[in-house]
């Protein structure tokens, strides 16, 4: 196996571990907590952990296809923070602050604008 193939395999395995457990925590938090045996159960924090694990997994995959590190990290941030914002919206009935969703959403919007600007910069170069 070449070094490049070994590196790609390692990144894919790491991404898969983050994505599998992240999606599980995000979409089936009670089942996930039962599996990891980590109590007391907190639905919102489990959603948040899943959101950030999905973001890490996505960032690993983005790193395999894009060479622009700024674009990679911004896209990973959008995935993680977008899901984090969504979890605050969906879990608003169990706590948090009324300012959480708009505040978190602004940062996602800032990152999306930065992604668009970065893509335009690259095209103009």
């Amino acid at each position: 196996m070449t070094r490049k193939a070994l590196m790609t395999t390692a990144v894919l395995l790491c991404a898969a571990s983050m994505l599998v457990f992240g999606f599980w925590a995000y979409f089936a938090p009670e089942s996930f907590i039962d599996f990891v045996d980590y109590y007391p159960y907190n639905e919102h924090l489990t959603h948040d952990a899943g959101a950030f694990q999905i973001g890490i997994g996505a960032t690993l995959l983005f790193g395999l296809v894009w060479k622009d590190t700024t674009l990679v990290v911004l896209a990973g941030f959008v995935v993680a923070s977008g899901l984090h914002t969504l979890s605050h919206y969906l879990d608003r009935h169990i706590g948090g602050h009324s300012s959480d969703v708009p505040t978190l959403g602004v940062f996602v919007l800032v990152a999306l604008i930065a992604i668009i600007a970065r893509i335009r910069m690259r095209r103009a170069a």
Side-chain angles (χ1 to χ4, degrees):
M1 183 178 279
T2 67
R3 286 184 184 179
K4 183 177 180 181
L6 183 61
M7 185 60 61
T8 300
T9 301
V11 171
L12 288 171
L13 286 171
C14 292
S17 73
M18 287 289 108
L19 292 169
V20 166
F21 288 108
F23 277 104
W24 187 2
Y26 198 82
F27 292 105
E30 287 184 56
S31 169
F32 178 79
I33 290 300
D34 285 343
F35 176 75
V36 297
D37 195 26
Y38 201 91
Y39 293 95
Y41 171 69
N42 184 310
E43 182 177 14
H44 178 72
L45 289 179
T46 307
H47 285 152
D48 282 355
F52 292 117
Q53 284 184 280
I54 294 167
I56 292 167
T59 303
L60 287 160
L61 294 177
F62 295 146
L64 286 177
V65 295
W66 295 330
K67 303 304 175 220
D68 184 332
T69 55
T70 301
L71 191 56
V72 168
V73 297
L74 283 169
F77 177 87
V78 166
V79 171
S81 291
L83 289 171
H84 182 216
T85 304
L86 180 61
S87 77
H88 273 266
Y89 174 75
L90 295 174
D91 294 339
R92 67 192 182 282
H93 65 286
I94 57 177
H97 303 95
S98 61
S99 61
D100 290 346
V101 172
T103 301
L104 295 168
V106 164
F107 287 106
V108 174
L109 185 59
V110 166
L112 285 169
I113 291 167
I115 287 171
I116 293 166
R118 184 70 174 190
I119 291 169
R120 287 183 177 166
M121 282 175 35
R122 288 178 51 137
R123 287 185 182 158

